[in-house]
Amino acid sequence: MQYFKLSGGQEMPVFGLGTWKSEKGEVYRAVCESVQQGYNHVDCAPIYGNEPEVGEALSEVLRSGQIARKDLWVTSKLWNDAHAPENVLPALQKTLSDLHLEYLDLFLIHWPVVFAPGVGYPQSGDEFLPLEALPISETWKAMEECVKKGLVRAIGVSNFSIKKLDQLLRTAVIAPAVNQIELHPFLQQKDMLAYCADKNVRLTAYAPLGSGDRPDRMKGADEPSLLKHPVIADVAAKHGATPGQILIKWAVTRGTVVIPKSVNPKRIKENIESLSIDLDQEDMEQIASLDRHFRYVTGSFWQPPGSPYTMENLWDEK
Ligand SMILES: NC(=O)c1ccc[n+]([C@@H]2O[C@H](COP(=O)([O-])OP(=O)(O)OC[C@H]3O[C@@H](n4cnc5c(N)ncnc54)[C@H](OP(=O)(O)O)[C@@H]3O)[C@@H](O)[C@H]2O)c1
């Protein structure tokens, strides 16, 4: 496994297993299988609804000695209902208990979005709070306390724009080590890549394969397919690889961590084997030409009528 060094000195594996949409009854086997195949990094979140089962699998691989805790990297996230500073530690403790762990390697603020107190999942716009009502800087102080307590090794954010990262970097005592965002050839985010390189924030690429198993309500009409794109297919044929492998190795070659999700043993193996592919400059240039600023995970679900969140203020893009 290759590693990227984070700003706090931690060595983060460049590749890990995504677990969003990994169903109960499937994710235990997927985590065990992935460790057998050489994975040492799992990306989790309480909202995925499967942390207790991921935790059973982690217990098993640690108990059986297949991997040592110090060699395993586990990321989880703070959900939007727990941004109030007094809710951060209890949320982390619940995740640690579900995952059967004493500490996380990385704890991320999942979205720059806040639910009103007591709301589990908003049904209407008035069940959100604007970020101004509960600023990220306040949540961040509570995240920093989690590091001081030894419950997490590194902290970071997810779905943050350059503007929001910049604001946070100005007030943070512990700088965010990671921003986990959607990244793939149709959404290359070159400005973000340059900004994060400059500020020593590591990017993690989510939805690297196009997140094809998202629920239909989250899909747009006529979404383009990464896995079926002819340029990706050509590069794959050149390397005797699959399109998925090319998409994964493209992400790592750009210096981003990548966390493809799979519950299928064949694809779990295929995905880690992508790390041995060498993409050359011509491959990278061909893939660079596919950029079209297309998001699969648009965030439109945070924008029911009356919500303080809009496409503009969520992504800070026009
Ligand atoms: N921070 C955030 O807001 C956020 C948002 C989205 C995702 N994430 C994280 O990022 C992870 C990855 O993103 P994602 O799950 O949305 O999408 P993804 O990894 O881009 O795609 C997952 C889909 O690709 C299939 N697949 C896996 N390997 C394949 C291969 N080699 N060839 C063809 N198809 C393949 C999977 O099916 P099988 O399972 O059947 O193989 C599944 O349908 C998530 O699981 C989650 O951990 C974070």
Side-chain angles (χ1 to χ4, degrees), residues 18-21 43 48 77 110-111 158-159 180 206-213 227 244 259-264 267 270-271 297:
T19 61
W20 178 34
K21 310 171 264 64
D43 183 78
Y48 301 163
K77 312 183 187 96
H110 204 149
W111 285 90
S158 176
N159 295 299
Q180 183 181 120
Y206 79 60
L209 309 174
S211 195
D213 55 349
L227 288 163
I259 47 170
K261 172 263 176 187
S262 182
V263 292
N264 175 292
R267 289 189 283 276
E270 173 183 324
N271 291 349
V297 181

PDB file of all heavy atoms in Angstrom, residues 18-21 43 48 77 110-111 158-159 180 206-213 227 244 259-264 267 270-271 297, ligand 1:
ATOM      1  N   GLY A  18     -14.992   2.168   0.199  1.00  0.00           N
ATOM      2  CA  GLY A  18     -16.181   2.963   0.493  1.00  0.00           C
ATOM      3  C   GLY A  18     -17.283   2.050   1.021  1.00  0.00           C
ATOM      4  O   GLY A  18     -17.338   0.859   0.668  1.00  0.00           O
ATOM      5  N   THR A  19     -18.155   2.593   1.870  1.00  0.00           N
ATOM      6  CA  THR A  19     -19.224   1.748   2.440  1.00  0.00           C
ATOM      7  C   THR A  19     -20.624   2.356   2.337  1.00  0.00           C
ATOM      8  O   THR A  19     -21.567   1.808   2.887  1.00  0.00           O
ATOM      9  CB  THR A  19     -18.938   1.406   3.922  1.00  0.00           C
ATOM     10  OG1 THR A  19     -18.877   2.622   4.673  1.00  0.00           O
ATOM     11  CG2 THR A  19     -17.649   0.625   4.086  1.00  0.00           C
ATOM     12  N   TRP A  20     -20.758   3.504   1.631  1.00  0.00           N
ATOM     13  CA  TRP A  20     -22.107   4.051   1.434  1.00  0.00           C
ATOM     14  C   TRP A  20     -22.891   3.104   0.514  1.00  0.00           C
ATOM     15  O   TRP A  20     -22.362   2.706  -0.522  1.00  0.00           O
ATOM     16  CB  TRP A  20     -22.031   5.453   0.801  1.00  0.00           C
ATOM     17  CG  TRP A  20     -23.382   6.053   0.522  1.00  0.00           C
ATOM     18  CD1 TRP A  20     -24.514   5.887   1.256  1.00  0.00           C
ATOM     19  CD2 TRP A  20     -23.737   6.891  -0.586  1.00  0.00           C
ATOM     20  NE1 TRP A  20     -25.560   6.600   0.679  1.00  0.00           N
ATOM     21  CE2 TRP A  20     -25.101   7.223  -0.451  1.00  0.00           C
ATOM     22  CE3 TRP A  20     -23.016   7.418  -1.680  1.00  0.00           C
ATOM     23  CZ2 TRP A  20     -25.771   8.039  -1.371  1.00  0.00           C
ATOM     24  CZ3 TRP A  20     -23.682   8.233  -2.586  1.00  0.00           C
ATOM     25  CH2 TRP A  20     -25.047   8.535  -2.431  1.00  0.00           C
ATOM     26  N   LYS A  21     -24.073   2.740   0.912  1.00  0.00           N
ATOM     27  CA  LYS A  21     -24.971   1.874   0.133  1.00  0.00           C
ATOM     28  C   LYS A  21     -24.584   0.399   0.232  1.00  0.00           C
ATOM     29  O   LYS A  21     -25.178  -0.430  -0.439  1.00  0.00           O
ATOM     30  CB  LYS A  21     -25.033   2.282  -1.365  1.00  0.00           C
ATOM     31  CG  LYS A  21     -25.287   3.745  -1.590  1.00  0.00           C
ATOM     32  CD  LYS A  21     -25.125   4.146  -3.038  1.00  0.00           C
ATOM     33  CE  LYS A  21     -23.800   4.710  -3.431  1.00  0.00           C
ATOM     34  NZ  LYS A  21     -22.660   3.815  -3.322  1.00  0.00           N
ATOM     35  N   ASP A  43     -13.779   3.593   4.715  1.00  0.00           N
ATOM     36  CA  ASP A  43     -14.459   4.885   4.843  1.00  0.00           C
ATOM     37  C   ASP A  43     -15.897   4.649   5.303  1.00  0.00           C
ATOM     38  O   ASP A  43     -16.665   3.963   4.622  1.00  0.00           O
ATOM     39  CB  ASP A  43     -14.461   5.609   3.490  1.00  0.00           C
ATOM     40  CG  ASP A  43     -15.092   6.984   3.619  1.00  0.00           C
ATOM     41  OD1 ASP A  43     -14.401   7.900   4.109  1.00  0.00           O
ATOM     42  OD2 ASP A  43     -16.280   7.138   3.277  1.00  0.00           O
ATOM     43  N   TYR A  48     -24.658   6.121   6.861  1.00  0.00           N
ATOM     44  CA  TYR A  48     -24.731   4.962   5.954  1.00  0.00           C
ATOM     45  C   TYR A  48     -25.533   3.820   6.585  1.00  0.00           C
ATOM     46  O   TYR A  48     -25.886   2.850   5.912  1.00  0.00           O
ATOM     47  CB  TYR A  48     -23.335   4.477   5.534  1.00  0.00           C
ATOM     48  CG  TYR A  48     -22.491   5.527   4.832  1.00  0.00           C
ATOM     49  CD1 TYR A  48     -21.117   5.387   4.696  1.00  0.00           C
ATOM     50  CD2 TYR A  48     -23.069   6.687   4.300  1.00  0.00           C
ATOM     51  CE1 TYR A  48     -20.335   6.356   4.065  1.00  0.00           C
ATOM     52  CE2 TYR A  48     -22.299   7.667   3.680  1.00  0.00           C
ATOM     53  CZ  TYR A  48     -20.934   7.494   3.574  1.00  0.00           C
ATOM     54  OH  TYR A  48     -20.167   8.459   2.955  1.00  0.00           O
ATOM     55  N   LYS A  77     -17.512  10.034  10.048  1.00  0.00           N
ATOM     56  CA  LYS A  77     -17.940  11.425   9.814  1.00  0.00           C
ATOM     57  C   LYS A  77     -18.985  11.869  10.825  1.00  0.00           C
ATOM     58  O   LYS A  77     -19.722  11.039  11.380  1.00  0.00           O
ATOM     59  CB  LYS A  77     -18.497  11.539   8.387  1.00  0.00           C
ATOM     60  CG  LYS A  77     -17.577  10.909   7.342  1.00  0.00           C
ATOM     61  CD  LYS A  77     -18.044  11.064   5.921  1.00  0.00           C
ATOM     62  CE  LYS A  77     -17.151  10.269   4.978  1.00  0.00           C
ATOM     63  NZ  LYS A  77     -17.672   8.939   4.640  1.00  0.00           N
ATOM     64  N   HIS A 110     -19.210  15.904   7.813  1.00  0.00           N
ATOM     65  CA  HIS A 110     -19.695  15.264   6.581  1.00  0.00           C
ATOM     66  C   HIS A 110     -20.135  16.282   5.520  1.00  0.00           C
ATOM     67  O   HIS A 110     -19.830  16.134   4.343  1.00  0.00           O
ATOM     68  CB  HIS A 110     -20.845  14.319   6.935  1.00  0.00           C
ATOM     69  CG  HIS A 110     -21.071  13.219   5.946  1.00  0.00           C
ATOM     70  ND1 HIS A 110     -21.549  11.983   6.298  1.00  0.00           N
ATOM     71  CD2 HIS A 110     -20.886  13.163   4.608  1.00  0.00           C
ATOM     72  CE1 HIS A 110     -21.653  11.218   5.232  1.00  0.00           C
ATOM     73  NE2 HIS A 110     -21.259  11.915   4.178  1.00  0.00           N
ATOM     74  N   TRP A 111     -20.896  17.292   5.962  1.00  0.00           N
ATOM     75  CA  TRP A 111     -21.375  18.339   5.035  1.00  0.00           C
ATOM     76  C   TRP A 111     -21.355  19.689   5.755  1.00  0.00           C
ATOM     77  O   TRP A 111     -21.613  19.743   6.968  1.00  0.00           O
ATOM     78  CB  TRP A 111     -22.834  18.073   4.616  1.00  0.00           C
ATOM     79  CG  TRP A 111     -23.025  16.978   3.623  1.00  0.00           C
ATOM     80  CD1 TRP A 111     -23.224  15.651   3.892  1.00  0.00           C
ATOM     81  CD2 TRP A 111     -23.058  17.106   2.200  1.00  0.00           C
ATOM     82  NE1 TRP A 111     -23.370  14.955   2.717  1.00  0.00           N
ATOM     83  CE2 TRP A 111     -23.275  15.820   1.669  1.00  0.00           C
ATOM     84  CE3 TRP A 111     -22.924  18.188   1.314  1.00  0.00           C
ATOM     85  CZ2 TRP A 111     -23.366  15.572   0.293  1.00  0.00           C
ATOM     86  CZ3 TRP A 111     -23.015  17.944  -0.058  1.00  0.00           C
ATOM     87  CH2 TRP A 111     -23.232  16.642  -0.546  1.00  0.00           C
ATOM     88  N   SER A 158     -15.633  17.526   4.659  1.00  0.00           N
ATOM     89  CA  SER A 158     -16.092  16.869   3.441  1.00  0.00           C
ATOM     90  C   SER A 158     -17.092  17.800   2.757  1.00  0.00           C
ATOM     91  O   SER A 158     -17.844  18.511   3.434  1.00  0.00           O
ATOM     92  CB  SER A 158     -16.755  15.528   3.815  1.00  0.00           C
ATOM     93  OG  SER A 158     -17.280  14.915   2.666  1.00  0.00           O
ATOM     94  N   ASN A 159     -17.072  17.800   1.456  1.00  0.00           N
ATOM     95  CA  ASN A 159     -17.988  18.635   0.656  1.00  0.00           C
ATOM     96  C   ASN A 159     -17.765  20.128   0.921  1.00  0.00           C
ATOM     97  O   ASN A 159     -18.714  20.909   0.840  1.00  0.00           O
ATOM     98  CB  ASN A 159     -19.448  18.237   0.923  1.00  0.00           C
ATOM     99  CG  ASN A 159     -19.740  16.836   0.450  1.00  0.00           C
ATOM    100  OD1 ASN A 159     -19.612  16.544  -0.735  1.00  0.00           O
ATOM    101  ND2 ASN A 159     -20.100  15.944   1.363  1.00  0.00           N
ATOM    102  N   GLN A 180     -12.828  15.631   1.881  1.00  0.00           N
ATOM    103  CA  GLN A 180     -13.326  14.517   1.065  1.00  0.00           C
ATOM    104  C   GLN A 180     -14.430  15.053   0.150  1.00  0.00           C
ATOM    105  O   GLN A 180     -15.452  15.538   0.629  1.00  0.00           O
ATOM    106  CB  GLN A 180     -13.877  13.408   1.979  1.00  0.00           C
ATOM    107  CG  GLN A 180     -14.331  12.206   1.171  1.00  0.00           C
ATOM    108  CD  GLN A 180     -14.905  11.074   2.004  1.00  0.00           C
ATOM    109  OE1 GLN A 180     -16.061  10.687   1.835  1.00  0.00           O
ATOM    110  NE2 GLN A 180     -14.103  10.510   2.895  1.00  0.00           N
ATOM    111  N   TYR A 206     -14.328  10.944  -3.605  1.00  0.00           N
ATOM    112  CA  TYR A 206     -15.483  10.041  -3.485  1.00  0.00           C
ATOM    113  C   TYR A 206     -16.218   9.951  -4.814  1.00  0.00           C
ATOM    114  O   TYR A 206     -15.969  10.754  -5.715  1.00  0.00           O
ATOM    115  CB  TYR A 206     -16.369  10.409  -2.296  1.00  0.00           C
ATOM    116  CG  TYR A 206     -17.352  11.564  -2.389  1.00  0.00           C
ATOM    117  CD1 TYR A 206     -18.399  11.600  -3.332  1.00  0.00           C
ATOM    118  CD2 TYR A 206     -17.296  12.605  -1.466  1.00  0.00           C
ATOM    119  CE1 TYR A 206     -19.326  12.630  -3.353  1.00  0.00           C
ATOM    120  CE2 TYR A 206     -18.226  13.647  -1.486  1.00  0.00           C
ATOM    121  CZ  TYR A 206     -19.245  13.648  -2.441  1.00  0.00           C
ATOM    122  OH  TYR A 206     -20.165  14.659  -2.463  1.00  0.00           O
ATOM    123  N   ALA A 207     -17.068   8.929  -4.920  1.00  0.00           N
ATOM    124  CA  ALA A 207     -17.775   8.631  -6.179  1.00  0.00           C
ATOM    125  C   ALA A 207     -16.806   8.518  -7.366  1.00  0.00           C
ATOM    126  O   ALA A 207     -17.090   9.011  -8.454  1.00  0.00           O
ATOM    127  CB  ALA A 207     -18.864   9.667  -6.448  1.00  0.00           C
ATOM    128  N   PRO A 208     -15.650   7.853  -7.170  1.00  0.00           N
ATOM    129  CA  PRO A 208     -14.642   7.829  -8.245  1.00  0.00           C
ATOM    130  C   PRO A 208     -15.089   7.055  -9.478  1.00  0.00           C
ATOM    131  O   PRO A 208     -14.532   7.252 -10.551  1.00  0.00           O
ATOM    132  CB  PRO A 208     -13.443   7.130  -7.578  1.00  0.00           C
ATOM    133  CG  PRO A 208     -14.054   6.250  -6.528  1.00  0.00           C
ATOM    134  CD  PRO A 208     -15.218   7.054  -6.001  1.00  0.00           C
ATOM    135  N   LEU A 209     -16.109   6.185  -9.286  1.00  0.00           N
ATOM    136  CA  LEU A 209     -16.582   5.371 -10.417  1.00  0.00           C
ATOM    137  C   LEU A 209     -17.933   5.876 -10.931  1.00  0.00           C
ATOM    138  O   LEU A 209     -18.555   5.252 -11.779  1.00  0.00           O
ATOM    139  CB  LEU A 209     -16.712   3.901  -9.990  1.00  0.00           C
ATOM    140  CG  LEU A 209     -15.475   3.303  -9.312  1.00  0.00           C
ATOM    141  CD1 LEU A 209     -15.759   1.899  -8.804  1.00  0.00           C
ATOM    142  CD2 LEU A 209     -14.292   3.283 -10.285  1.00  0.00           C
ATOM    143  N   GLY A 210     -18.402   6.979 -10.365  1.00  0.00           N
ATOM    144  CA  GLY A 210     -19.678   7.545 -10.812  1.00  0.00           C
ATOM    145  C   GLY A 210     -20.863   7.181  -9.937  1.00  0.00           C
ATOM    146  O   GLY A 210     -21.999   7.519 -10.251  1.00  0.00           O
ATOM    147  N   SER A 211     -20.608   6.470  -8.824  1.00  0.00           N
ATOM    148  CA  SER A 211     -21.654   6.210  -7.829  1.00  0.00           C
ATOM    149  C   SER A 211     -22.942   5.686  -8.470  1.00  0.00           C
ATOM    150  O   SER A 211     -24.044   6.153  -8.176  1.00  0.00           O
ATOM    151  CB  SER A 211     -21.934   7.514  -7.048  1.00  0.00           C
ATOM    152  OG  SER A 211     -22.665   7.250  -5.888  1.00  0.00           O
ATOM    153  N   GLY A 212     -22.790   4.675  -9.324  1.00  0.00           N
ATOM    154  CA  GLY A 212     -23.919   4.175 -10.116  1.00  0.00           C
ATOM    155  C   GLY A 212     -25.023   3.527  -9.304  1.00  0.00           C
ATOM    156  O   GLY A 212     -26.148   3.363  -9.806  1.00  0.00           O
ATOM    157  N   ASP A 213     -24.745   3.154  -8.049  1.00  0.00           N
ATOM    158  CA  ASP A 213     -25.789   2.506  -7.244  1.00  0.00           C
ATOM    159  C   ASP A 213     -26.510   3.491  -6.323  1.00  0.00           C
ATOM    160  O   ASP A 213     -27.185   3.079  -5.381  1.00  0.00           O
ATOM    161  CB  ASP A 213     -25.191   1.338  -6.429  1.00  0.00           C
ATOM    162  CG  ASP A 213     -24.018   1.753  -5.546  1.00  0.00           C
ATOM    163  OD1 ASP A 213     -23.512   2.894  -5.706  1.00  0.00           O
ATOM    164  OD2 ASP A 213     -23.601   0.943  -4.703  1.00  0.00           O
ATOM    165  N   LEU A 227     -17.775   4.809 -16.497  1.00  0.00           N
ATOM    166  CA  LEU A 227     -17.306   3.438 -16.740  1.00  0.00           C
ATOM    167  C   LEU A 227     -17.462   3.041 -18.209  1.00  0.00           C
ATOM    168  O   LEU A 227     -16.787   2.132 -18.682  1.00  0.00           O
ATOM    169  CB  LEU A 227     -18.069   2.463 -15.835  1.00  0.00           C
ATOM    170  CG  LEU A 227     -17.702   2.534 -14.350  1.00  0.00           C
ATOM    171  CD1 LEU A 227     -18.765   1.866 -13.481  1.00  0.00           C
ATOM    172  CD2 LEU A 227     -16.344   1.885 -14.102  1.00  0.00           C
ATOM    173  N   GLY A 244     -12.893   0.618 -14.454  1.00  0.00           N
ATOM    174  CA  GLY A 244     -12.879   0.962 -13.028  1.00  0.00           C
ATOM    175  C   GLY A 244     -11.455   1.106 -12.524  1.00  0.00           C
ATOM    176  O   GLY A 244     -11.140   2.033 -11.759  1.00  0.00           O
ATOM    177  N   ILE A 259     -11.577   6.108  -2.622  1.00  0.00           N
ATOM    178  CA  ILE A 259     -12.305   5.158  -1.764  1.00  0.00           C
ATOM    179  C   ILE A 259     -13.470   4.507  -2.512  1.00  0.00           C
ATOM    180  O   ILE A 259     -14.640   4.668  -2.129  1.00  0.00           O
ATOM    181  CB  ILE A 259     -12.810   5.876  -0.483  1.00  0.00           C
ATOM    182  CG1 ILE A 259     -13.483   7.230  -0.831  1.00  0.00           C
ATOM    183  CG2 ILE A 259     -11.657   6.091   0.499  1.00  0.00           C
ATOM    184  CD1 ILE A 259     -14.217   7.879   0.353  1.00  0.00           C
ATOM    185  N   PRO A 260     -13.190   3.744  -3.590  1.00  0.00           N
ATOM    186  CA  PRO A 260     -14.289   3.106  -4.322  1.00  0.00           C
ATOM    187  C   PRO A 260     -15.058   2.130  -3.438  1.00  0.00           C
ATOM    188  O   PRO A 260     -14.456   1.406  -2.647  1.00  0.00           O
ATOM    189  CB  PRO A 260     -13.562   2.360  -5.454  1.00  0.00           C
ATOM    190  CG  PRO A 260     -12.177   2.131  -4.944  1.00  0.00           C
ATOM    191  CD  PRO A 260     -11.869   3.329  -4.084  1.00  0.00           C
ATOM    192  N   LYS A 261     -16.362   2.138  -3.601  1.00  0.00           N
ATOM    193  CA  LYS A 261     -17.222   1.197  -2.852  1.00  0.00           C
ATOM    194  C   LYS A 261     -17.437  -0.056  -3.683  1.00  0.00           C
ATOM    195  O   LYS A 261     -17.719   0.013  -4.883  1.00  0.00           O
ATOM    196  CB  LYS A 261     -18.574   1.879  -2.576  1.00  0.00           C
ATOM    197  CG  LYS A 261     -19.637   0.943  -1.968  1.00  0.00           C
ATOM    198  CD  LYS A 261     -20.585   0.364  -3.012  1.00  0.00           C
ATOM    199  CE  LYS A 261     -21.574  -0.621  -2.453  1.00  0.00           C
ATOM    200  NZ  LYS A 261     -22.374  -1.294  -3.504  1.00  0.00           N
ATOM    201  N   SER A 262     -17.325  -1.209  -3.035  1.00  0.00           N
ATOM    202  CA  SER A 262     -17.800  -2.442  -3.658  1.00  0.00           C
ATOM    203  C   SER A 262     -18.161  -3.445  -2.577  1.00  0.00           C
ATOM    204  O   SER A 262     -17.534  -3.470  -1.517  1.00  0.00           O
ATOM    205  CB  SER A 262     -16.740  -3.041  -4.591  1.00  0.00           C
ATOM    206  OG  SER A 262     -17.285  -4.203  -5.207  1.00  0.00           O
ATOM    207  N   VAL A 263     -19.179  -4.248  -2.866  1.00  0.00           N
ATOM    208  CA  VAL A 263     -19.487  -5.392  -1.999  1.00  0.00           C
ATOM    209  C   VAL A 263     -19.275  -6.696  -2.770  1.00  0.00           C
ATOM    210  O   VAL A 263     -19.643  -7.766  -2.297  1.00  0.00           O
ATOM    211  CB  VAL A 263     -20.937  -5.332  -1.451  1.00  0.00           C
ATOM    212  CG1 VAL A 263     -21.096  -4.177  -0.463  1.00  0.00           C
ATOM    213  CG2 VAL A 263     -21.965  -5.211  -2.579  1.00  0.00           C
ATOM    214  N   ASN A 264     -18.699  -6.576  -3.961  1.00  0.00           N
ATOM    215  CA  ASN A 264     -18.540  -7.734  -4.833  1.00  0.00           C
ATOM    216  C   ASN A 264     -17.087  -8.227  -4.754  1.00  0.00           C
ATOM    217  O   ASN A 264     -16.160  -7.473  -5.061  1.00  0.00           O
ATOM    218  CB  ASN A 264     -18.898  -7.282  -6.257  1.00  0.00           C
ATOM    219  CG  ASN A 264     -18.652  -8.354  -7.279  1.00  0.00           C
ATOM    220  OD1 ASN A 264     -17.509  -8.713  -7.531  1.00  0.00           O
ATOM    221  ND2 ASN A 264     -19.710  -8.855  -7.865  1.00  0.00           N
ATOM    222  N   ARG A 267     -14.815  -7.500  -7.721  1.00  0.00           N
ATOM    223  CA  ARG A 267     -14.472  -6.083  -7.925  1.00  0.00           C
ATOM    224  C   ARG A 267     -13.632  -5.547  -6.759  1.00  0.00           C
ATOM    225  O   ARG A 267     -12.803  -4.655  -6.957  1.00  0.00           O
ATOM    226  CB  ARG A 267     -15.742  -5.255  -8.144  1.00  0.00           C
ATOM    227  CG  ARG A 267     -16.386  -5.543  -9.503  1.00  0.00           C
ATOM    228  CD  ARG A 267     -17.502  -4.580  -9.837  1.00  0.00           C
ATOM    229  NE  ARG A 267     -18.736  -4.848  -9.133  1.00  0.00           N
ATOM    230  CZ  ARG A 267     -19.663  -5.718  -9.512  1.00  0.00           C
ATOM    231  NH1 ARG A 267     -19.494  -6.424 -10.633  1.00  0.00           N
ATOM    232  NH2 ARG A 267     -20.775  -5.902  -8.817  1.00  0.00           N
ATOM    233  N   GLU A 270     -10.279  -6.565  -7.891  1.00  0.00           N
ATOM    234  CA  GLU A 270      -9.932  -5.788  -9.100  1.00  0.00           C
ATOM    235  C   GLU A 270      -9.533  -4.351  -8.720  1.00  0.00           C
ATOM    236  O   GLU A 270      -8.571  -3.805  -9.249  1.00  0.00           O
ATOM    237  CB  GLU A 270     -11.171  -5.785 -10.007  1.00  0.00           C
ATOM    238  CG  GLU A 270     -11.094  -4.920 -11.234  1.00  0.00           C
ATOM    239  CD  GLU A 270     -12.433  -4.944 -12.003  1.00  0.00           C
ATOM    240  OE1 GLU A 270     -13.109  -5.999 -12.061  1.00  0.00           O
ATOM    241  OE2 GLU A 270     -12.799  -3.888 -12.538  1.00  0.00           O
ATOM    242  N   ASN A 271     -10.264  -3.785  -7.793  1.00  0.00           N
ATOM    243  CA  ASN A 271     -10.034  -2.372  -7.469  1.00  0.00           C
ATOM    244  C   ASN A 271      -8.676  -2.149  -6.801  1.00  0.00           C
ATOM    245  O   ASN A 271      -7.960  -1.211  -7.147  1.00  0.00           O
ATOM    246  CB  ASN A 271     -11.181  -1.829  -6.606  1.00  0.00           C
ATOM    247  CG  ASN A 271     -12.481  -1.723  -7.412  1.00  0.00           C
ATOM    248  OD1 ASN A 271     -12.469  -1.866  -8.631  1.00  0.00           O
ATOM    249  ND2 ASN A 271     -13.595  -1.489  -6.736  1.00  0.00           N
ATOM    250  N   VAL A 297     -23.309  13.689  -7.173  1.00  0.00           N
ATOM    251  CA  VAL A 297     -23.916  13.986  -5.864  1.00  0.00           C
ATOM    252  C   VAL A 297     -24.073  15.505  -5.802  1.00  0.00           C
ATOM    253  O   VAL A 297     -23.136  16.226  -5.448  1.00  0.00           O
ATOM    254  CB  VAL A 297     -23.028  13.459  -4.715  1.00  0.00           C
ATOM    255  CG1 VAL A 297     -23.658  13.750  -3.357  1.00  0.00           C
ATOM    256  CG2 VAL A 297     -22.792  11.941  -4.871  1.00  0.00           C
TER     257      VAL A 297
HETATM  258  N1  LIG B   1     -18.414  12.489   1.920  1.00  0.00           N
HETATM  259  C1  LIG B   1     -19.471  12.323   1.175  1.00  0.00           C
HETATM  260  O1  LIG B   1     -20.413  13.136   1.157  1.00  0.00           O
HETATM  261  C2  LIG B   1     -19.547  11.101   0.308  1.00  0.00           C
HETATM  262  C3  LIG B   1     -20.460  11.052  -0.765  1.00  0.00           C
HETATM  263  C4  LIG B   1     -20.449   9.920  -1.570  1.00  0.00           C
HETATM  264  C5  LIG B   1     -19.584   8.883  -1.310  1.00  0.00           C
HETATM  265  N2  LIG B   1     -18.733   8.928  -0.239  1.00  0.00           N
HETATM  266  C6  LIG B   1     -17.795   7.816   0.069  1.00  0.00           C
HETATM  267  O2  LIG B   1     -17.149   7.430  -1.133  1.00  0.00           O
HETATM  268  C7  LIG B   1     -17.387   6.057  -1.405  1.00  0.00           C
HETATM  269  C8  LIG B   1     -17.389   5.817  -2.896  1.00  0.00           C
HETATM  270  O3  LIG B   1     -18.414   6.519  -3.559  1.00  0.00           O
HETATM  271  P1  LIG B   1     -19.788   5.845  -4.039  1.00  0.00           P
HETATM  272  O4  LIG B   1     -20.091   4.636  -3.221  1.00  0.00           O
HETATM  273  O5  LIG B   1     -20.797   6.932  -4.068  1.00  0.00           O
HETATM  274  O6  LIG B   1     -19.542   5.447  -5.538  1.00  0.00           O
HETATM  275  P2  LIG B   1     -18.422   4.688  -6.404  1.00  0.00           P
HETATM  276  O7  LIG B   1     -17.405   4.073  -5.551  1.00  0.00           O
HETATM  277  O8  LIG B   1     -18.033   5.654  -7.466  1.00  0.00           O
HETATM  278  O9  LIG B   1     -19.296   3.579  -7.133  1.00  0.00           O
HETATM  279  C9  LIG B   1     -19.854   2.484  -6.482  1.00  0.00           C
HETATM  280  C10 LIG B   1     -20.535   1.614  -7.539  1.00  0.00           C
HETATM  281  O10 LIG B   1     -19.560   1.092  -8.460  1.00  0.00           O
HETATM  282  C11 LIG B   1     -19.636  -0.341  -8.494  1.00  0.00           C
HETATM  283  N3  LIG B   1     -18.262  -0.816  -8.693  1.00  0.00           N
HETATM  284  C12 LIG B   1     -17.270  -1.002  -7.765  1.00  0.00           C
HETATM  285  N4  LIG B   1     -16.132  -1.382  -8.348  1.00  0.00           N
HETATM  286  C13 LIG B   1     -16.372  -1.458  -9.671  1.00  0.00           C
HETATM  287  C14 LIG B   1     -15.585  -1.790 -10.792  1.00  0.00           C
HETATM  288  N5  LIG B   1     -14.295  -2.127 -10.679  1.00  0.00           N
HETATM  289  N6  LIG B   1     -16.174  -1.765 -12.013  1.00  0.00           N
HETATM  290  C15 LIG B   1     -17.468  -1.424 -12.154  1.00  0.00           C
HETATM  291  N7  LIG B   1     -18.276  -1.088 -11.133  1.00  0.00           N
HETATM  292  C16 LIG B   1     -17.725  -1.098  -9.905  1.00  0.00           C
HETATM  293  C17 LIG B   1     -20.253  -0.730  -7.164  1.00  0.00           C
HETATM  294  O11 LIG B   1     -20.953  -1.956  -7.293  1.00  0.00           O
HETATM  295  P3  LIG B   1     -20.596  -3.270  -6.395  1.00  0.00           P
HETATM  296  O12 LIG B   1     -20.672  -2.878  -4.954  1.00  0.00           O
HETATM  297  O13 LIG B   1     -21.664  -4.232  -6.804  1.00  0.00           O
HETATM  298  O14 LIG B   1     -19.223  -3.694  -6.839  1.00  0.00           O
HETATM  299  C18 LIG B   1     -21.259   0.407  -6.976  1.00  0.00           C
HETATM  300  O15 LIG B   1     -22.414   0.214  -7.730  1.00  0.00           O
HETATM  301  C19 LIG B   1     -18.735   5.815  -0.708  1.00  0.00           C
HETATM  302  O16 LIG B   1     -19.053   4.447  -0.569  1.00  0.00           O
HETATM  303  C20 LIG B   1     -18.527   6.553   0.584  1.00  0.00           C
HETATM  304  O17 LIG B   1     -17.705   5.794   1.469  1.00  0.00           O
HETATM  305  C21 LIG B   1     -18.689  10.039   0.555  1.00  0.00           C
END
